């Protein structure tokens, strides 16, 4: 049975994950984004149900109590989480499921689905460039910007745990590099596939 594959993309906020993921979604027919649930306020241009499922803090805490999350974290002072039911549905359809999660989220997803998960870390050439991009994006206050830059330093320390690493200097190049990596996920020998093949050889 083909259970689908997972590509987890992590990296500092502002490193270009969303820009790259949007490109992947136009290039890989079988790819779908794992739409996270969050309690953070919606940004201008974001669409509920497409970028995130936006809920209040109380609603998020209720979902935690109901055990609806595969994983969730309190990131940049907001809740973010992955719902179990959405992941299972996508994998059952054999999709390439793309996650945009922090590095702890990556660890949890890897724990659950190690045989089908490829992980990629995206970052900028420097901390200054990250700050410049976050400022230019115009989504942060001075306060939230500071939190994101501080968290970026901690996120960078997790870089050695990833399968792949892309420095987003030129966006076009970064997109193409990530596309190549995404295409490799297909060749990851999942447990279900290898056991079926081994069984066939034994006949
Ligand atoms: P993330 O999803 O990791 O938070 P975004 O995709 O929102 O990051 O990118 C952060 C900002 O930087 C956005 O305004 C985006 O348009 C811009 N950006 C992304 N890649 C580049 C690049 N290579 N050069 C300049 N600006 C970039
Ligand atoms: P942003 O507010 O910029 O959209 O996202 C902030 C951070 O939260 C990013 O590092 C992003 O990868 C992470 N994130 C988004 N959704 C999830 C999720 O479902 N789980 C976890 N663990 N992190 C998430």
């Amino acid at each position: 049975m083909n259970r689908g594959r997972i590509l987890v993309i992590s990296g500092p906020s502002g490193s270009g994950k969303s820009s790259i993921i949007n490109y992947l979604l136009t290039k890989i027919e079988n790819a779908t984004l794992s739409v996270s649930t969050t309690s953070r306020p919606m940004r201008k241009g974001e669409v509920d149900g497409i970028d995130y499922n936006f809920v209040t803090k109380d609603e998020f805490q209720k979902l935690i109590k109901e055990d609806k999350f595969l994983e969730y974290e309190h990131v940049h002072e907001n809740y973010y989480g992955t719902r179990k039911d959405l992941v299972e549905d996508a994998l059952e359809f054999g999709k390439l499921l793309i996650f945009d999660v922090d590095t702890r989220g990556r660890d949890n997803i890897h724990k659950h689905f190690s045989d089908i998960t490829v992980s990629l870390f995206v970052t900028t050439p420097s901390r200054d460039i990250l700050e410049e991009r976050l400022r230019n994006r115009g989504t942060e206050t001075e306060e939230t910007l500071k939190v994101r830059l501080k968290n970026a330093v901690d996120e960078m320390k997790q870089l050695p745990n990833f399968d792949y690493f892309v420095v987003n200097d030129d966006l076009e190049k970064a997109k193409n590099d990530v596309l190549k990596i995404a295409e490799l996920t297909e060749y990851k020998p999942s447990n279900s596939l290898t056991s079926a093949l081994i069984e066939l050889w034994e006949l």
Side-chain angles (χ1 to χ4, degrees), residues 9-22 43 100 122 124-125 129-130 132-140 148 167-175:
I9 304 187
S10 302
S13 172
S15 60
K17 301 180 298 295
S18 308
S19 312
I20 291 170
I21 289 170
N22 288 337
R43 286 179 194 147
D100 175 345
V122 176
T124 51
I129 293 178
L130 183 71
E132 186 185 303
R133 289 195 191 156
L134 276 173
R135 284 190 188 281
N136 288 343
R137 191 169 70 182
T139 52
E140 308 306 317
R148 280 167 193 260
V167 176
N168 174 15
D169 188 357
D170 172 65
L171 182 57
E172 289 313 304
K173 181 174 185 310
K175 284 177 186 170

Side-chain angles (χ1 to χ4, degrees), residues 9-14 17-18 34-38 40 43 46 52 71-73 75-76 78 80-83 99-106 108-109 137 140 148 155:
I9 304 187
S10 302
S13 172
K17 301 180 298 295
S18 308
S34 167
V35 179
S36 296
T37 302
T38 186
R40 99 146 148 66
R43 286 179 194 147
E46 284 184 331
Y52 282 104
E71 61 83 35
Y72 70 90
E73 297 291 343
V75 188
H76 309 320
N78 290 300
Y80 296 84
T82 307
R83 284 187 64 138
F99 286 81
D100 175 345
V101 293
D102 74 336
T103 53
R104 285 170 300 177
R106 177 261 171 208
N108 281 322
I109 291 157
R137 191 169 70 182
E140 308 306 317
R148 280 167 193 260
E155 293 275 286

Side-chain angles (χ1 to χ4, degrees), residues 65-152:
K65 276 198 197 121
E66 291 168 356
D67 195 26
K68 297 286 189 203
F69 291 110
L70 176 69
E71 61 83 35
Y72 70 90
E73 297 291 343
H74 201 235
V75 188
H76 309 320
E77 297 169 356
N78 290 300
Y79 283 111
Y80 296 84
T82 307
R83 284 187 64 138
K84 286 179 191 167
D85 48 354
L86 303 184
V87 171
E88 283 303 339
D89 286 353
L91 292 178
E92 233 166 79
F93 277 101
K95 293 277 187 188
L96 169 63
L97 187 55
I98 303 177
F99 286 81
D100 175 345
V101 293
D102 74 336
T103 53
R104 285 170 300 177
R106 177 261 171 208
D107 293 344
N108 281 322
I109 291 157
H110 192 263
K111 240 179 252 161
H112 279 94
F113 301 108
S114 61
D115 67 312
I116 54 169
T117 299
V118 169
S119 62
L120 163 69
F121 194 93
V122 176
T123 188
T124 51
S126 70
R127 191 179 177 282
D128 285 351
I129 293 178
L130 183 71
E131 180 170 352
E132 186 185 303
R133 289 195 191 156
L134 276 173
R135 284 190 188 281
N136 288 343
R137 191 169 70 182
T139 52
E140 308 306 317
T141 61
E142 245 351 271
E143 202 179 315
T144 63
L145 185 92
K146 251 191 221 151
V147 175
R148 280 167 193 260
L149 286 174
K150 184 179 167 290
N151 289 344

Side-chain angles (χ1 to χ4, degrees), residues 146-192:
K146 251 191 221 151
V147 175
R148 280 167 193 260
L149 286 174
K150 184 179 167 290
N151 289 344
V153 179
D154 292 334
E155 293 275 286
M156 283 302 292
K157 292 183 187 147
Q158 303 305 314
L159 200 157
N161 298 332
F162 282 74
D163 297 321
Y164 298 100
F165 169 46
V166 166
V167 176
N168 174 15
D169 188 357
D170 172 65
L171 182 57
E172 289 313 304
K173 181 174 185 310
K175 284 177 186 170
N176 282 312
D177 290 346
V178 176
L179 181 59
K180 282 186 220 151
I181 293 164
E183 284 168 349
L184 288 178
T185 55
E186 198 185 321
Y187 301 94
K188 183 117 179 138
S190 69
N191 292 342
S192 53

